[in-house]
Amino acid sequence: QVQLVESGGGPVQAGGSLRLSCAASGRTFSSVAMGWFRQAPGKEREFVAAISRNGAMTVYADSVKGRFTISRDNAKNTVYLQMNSLKPEDTAVYYCAADRAIVPHTAHAFYDSWGQGTQVTVSS
């Protein structure tokens, strides 16, 4: 499995930006796709974005398309989530996760390693 540690969350005003980072160790990071999910209070965990092992393929939830960008640096064993034009409805705990495969998936059942999460709070 891959050990994952997220960072970069915090409070931000609506319209602002944050960049989340997820540092990986353990199983070869560059061999698997990576994803970001989020969970707001009282809601189910939902897919945000995912990226293939080489970064060539990305997938986004409709709610973040055009505002969020997922990227990875395999030399640094890190995946990023750049979040722009943040909205109060983006408030959630954000988790990164390692897929079992090389291509990205939107369903959390495909992911077998999860970080502890980082809180993002967007105020209006």
Side-chain angles (χ1 to χ4, degrees), residues 29-65:
F29 174 77
S30 60
S31 67
V32 295
M34 296 293 296
W36 285 96
F37 291 75
R38 66 187 182 187
Q39 188 167 19
K43 294 189 176 181
E44 297 287 323
R45 188 170 299 190
E46 66 173 359
F47 170 77
V48 175
I51 188 168
S52 61
R53 67 170 179 173
N54 63 1
M57 185 187 307
T58 57
V59 183
Y60 295 93
D62 287 343
S63 59
V64 306
K65 203 171 292 183

Side-chain angles (χ1 to χ4, degrees), residues 15-112:
S17 299
L18 282 175
R19 188 176 82 154
L20 305 183
S21 299
C22 174
S25 61
R27 186 178 68 195
T28 304
F29 174 77
S30 60
S31 67
V32 295
M34 296 293 296
W36 285 96
F37 291 75
R38 66 187 182 187
Q39 188 167 19
K43 294 189 176 181
E44 297 287 323
R45 188 170 299 190
E46 66 173 359
F47 170 77
V48 175
I51 188 168
S52 61
R53 67 170 179 173
N54 63 1
M57 185 187 307
T58 57
V59 183
Y60 295 93
D62 287 343
S63 59
V64 306
K65 203 171 292 183
R67 299 188 298 122
F68 290 11
T69 302
I70 188 171
S71 61
R72 66 190 296 163
D73 185 338
N74 287 345
K76 295 183 178 180
N77 282 3
T78 302
V79 62
Y80 304 97
L81 185 67
Q82 177 67 44
M83 305 186 295
N84 299 328
S85 302
L86 283 161
K87 305 174 181 180
E89 51 263 44
D90 294 318
T91 294
V93 177
Y94 283 72
Y95 300 88
C96 73
D99 202 321
R100 297 187 180 92
I102 63 174
V103 295
H105 295 93
T106 61
H108 61 75
F110 286 94
Y111 295 80
D112 62 359

